[in-house]
Amino acid sequence: MIGVLAAVTIGHLAGAFLFYATHRWVFHGSMNNPWLRHLFALPLVGRVARKARRIHTEHHRETIKHGEDIHKHMNVFFPFWGKCAVAVIVSAFAVISIPFAIGVCSFFPVYAYRHQKAHSGSNAEYAKHHLHHHYKNAKVNHGGIYPVFDKIFGTFESS
């Protein structure tokens, strides 16, 4: 039983890391980075990555444009194709371990809930962490709702 709980917990942290990595290096990455240019040049994956980056950029524009009222204007959840992309990735993890895959999956509804709350006026620490990224410095706090990876990779800035 402990092994299953450990796999779920590690999977959840892996989901959080995947979010951090995608947010920092794909959504906010420099187009001078040869790895990012190579990713964007790939036939299917590149198209999905470019489209997701555009949606993320629009999310930042909408946040600045609408400020406190952003929750009235934003779509908190990924479009259908984004959910399919996550499902493919999680399915690959399921080949390794079902509990690990469940843990990875568990991150995304927690993130979606907290992300929506952050943009709806929550005063929780995770909300302050996220909104600092939107309103003060988009080059930091890429972890979204968990600052752990920002602290590990030196992109944490106190709100």
Side-chain angles (χ1 to χ4, degrees), residues 98-159:
I98 297 290
F100 181 80
I102 290 169
V104 173
C105 285
S106 74
F107 170 77
F108 295 99
V110 172
Y111 171 77
Y113 174 79
R114 286 183 161 193
H115 184 239
Q116 201 281 328
K117 287 293 185 188
H119 284 286
S120 297
S122 173
N123 207 19
E125 284 304 312
Y126 68 81
K128 292 175 186 174
H129 176 76
H130 180 68
L131 294 178
H132 184 90
H133 170 76
H134 273 276
Y135 292 112
K136 294 186 178 163
N137 187 354
K139 294 181 181 188
V140 299
N141 296 0
H142 299 286
I145 59 169
Y146 297 145
V148 65
F149 292 109
D150 286 305
K151 289 179 180 180
I152 290 169
F153 291 103
T155 54
F156 176 78
E157 195 169 278
S158 185
S159 2

Side-chain angles (χ1 to χ4, degrees), residues 7-16 18 83 86-94 97-112:
V8 170
T9 301
I10 292 168
H12 186 87
L13 290 173
L18 286 171
K83 292 174 187 173
V86 170
V88 167
I89 292 167
V90 171
S91 295
F93 287 132
S97 164
I98 297 290
F100 181 80
I102 290 169
V104 173
C105 285
S106 74
F107 170 77
F108 295 99
V110 172
Y111 171 77

Side-chain angles (χ1 to χ4, degrees), residues 15-58:
F17 175 73
L18 286 171
F19 176 84
Y20 172 86
T22 302
H23 189 196
R24 179 178 179 190
W25 291 304
V26 177
F27 296 167
H28 288 278
S30 167
M31 289 309 294
N32 293 327
N33 182 327
W35 290 97
L36 187 59
R37 285 197 318 265
H38 180 68
L39 174 74
F40 283 172
L42 294 172
L44 178 62
V45 173
R47 182 174 178 188
V48 169
R50 287 189 310 273
K51 190 166 186 167
R53 182 176 166 128
R54 281 193 301 272
I55 288 170
H56 182 75
T57 301
E58 185 59 30

